[in-house]
Amino acid sequence: MNFTDKNVLITGGTTGIGLATAKAFITAGADVWITGRNAENLEKATSEISSSKLKTIVSDTSKLEEISILENAIAESGNKLDVLFLNAGIATFSPIGETTEADFDAQFNTNVKGAYFTLQKLLPHLADGSSVLFTSSTVATATNRGASVYSATKGALNKIAQIAANELAERKIRVNIVSPGPTETPGFDKATGGESKDIFAAATALQRMGSPDEIAKTVLFLASDDASFITGTELLVDGGYIGYALK
């Protein structure tokens, strides 16, 4: 797939799926912006990618004032975005009886409010015919124990994306959802507390974890002209995930 001279923005692009997708877009010829919550992580990503096609900006998607900083940076660049990948997200797992208000708010602020208002603020900066993608998760429809808040955020995100697909259709902007299953990322390790990956691998039909590169390839497909008649769709990239119930 060729993204030469295309402008791509990836939120949460310093590690895992976001980082892998940034690399893939750059390899395909795109100019890529990535965001992260702190300069140190962005510097690490810059060093790892090592490309003049990469630009970075510190922006915490859970804070509206930092979304505005991101919007201003895109506006000042003078370029319209051809791809917006709303990837930033966090997860904390706990039973309903033990979930704190702080954990609830942190997940909804990042996963839902952050994605919603990033899309809203960047609407004027999207090229007609561009592509918007949301990172959701198989947990949006699964019923894993301990995942009530995280699952709720992803379910909300899916509905936002589906409605956005209808609202933006008149501008020929396609909106789609990528829902990974268990994927080997630093965020997955942090969220699961180092629980054996063999257990999660065993919950997939393919009997293994996914890789960030595999998710990135799916994102590029949906963003490309090869997917020109696909919008409002959730694509599961989960190896046939069965739905292991976290204990």
Side-chain angles (χ1 to χ4, degrees), residues 10-230:
I10 300 170
T11 64
T14 59
T15 62
I17 291 169
L19 182 63
T21 306
K23 292 178 181 177
F25 271 119
I26 288 173
T27 298
D31 294 303
V32 177
W33 289 78
I34 62 171
T35 73
R37 287 184 289 182
N38 62 70
E40 182 180 357
N41 287 342
L42 286 169
E43 288 172 3
K44 290 178 181 177
T46 299
S47 177
E48 184 169 341
I49 293 176
S50 187
S51 172
S52 61
K53 288 183 169 293
L54 178 70
K55 296 181 181 179
T56 66
I57 183 166
V58 176
S59 178
D60 184 342
T61 193
S62 71
K63 300 176 181 178
L64 293 184
E65 62 271 21
E66 295 199 20
I67 295 175
S68 294
I69 291 172
L70 172 60
E71 179 194 6
N72 290 337
I74 297 300
E76 290 171 2
S77 75
N79 296 315
K80 292 287 189 179
L81 294 173
D82 300 292
V83 179
L84 172 60
F85 183 27
L86 298 164
N87 172 69
I90 60 173
T92 302
F93 297 121
S94 62
I96 293 172
E98 298 175 14
T99 298
T100 66
E101 182 181 10
D103 283 342
F104 184 100
D105 288 346
Q107 291 179 85
F108 267 91
N109 285 344
T110 297
N111 299 356
V112 182
K113 186 175 80 172
Y116 188 95
F117 285 102
T118 298
L119 175 59
Q120 181 195 80
K121 295 291 186 182
L122 293 178
L123 283 177
H125 308 289
L126 293 175
D128 289 351
S130 59
S131 177
V132 177
L133 298 114
F134 288 75
T135 297
S136 184
S137 171
T138 52
V139 303
T141 52
T143 56
N144 296 357
R145 289 181 289 175
S148 59
V149 177
Y150 182 58
S151 295
T153 66
K154 294 303 186 179
L157 200 66
N158 285 7
K159 188 54 62 179
I160 291 167
Q162 290 162 357
I163 292 173
N166 287 336
E167 292 187 358
L168 299 179
E170 63 184 18
R171 292 180 56 191
K172 310 301 181 186
I173 295 174
R174 296 183 300 105
V175 183
N176 288 295
I177 304 158
V178 177
S179 288
T183 307
E184 294 195 62
T185 66
F188 183 91
D189 291 341
K190 181 178 180 180
T192 59
E195 189 167 349
S196 174
K197 293 179 182 177
D198 291 340
I199 296 174
F200 291 95
T204 71
L206 296 182
Q207 295 292 288
R208 66 175 179 85
M209 299 275 287
S211 74
D213 289 340
E214 289 174 310
I215 311 303
K217 290 175 183 176
T218 305
V219 174
L220 264 67
F221 163 68
L222 287 174
S224 75
D225 291 339
D226 290 344
S228 58
F229 201 53
I230 301 175

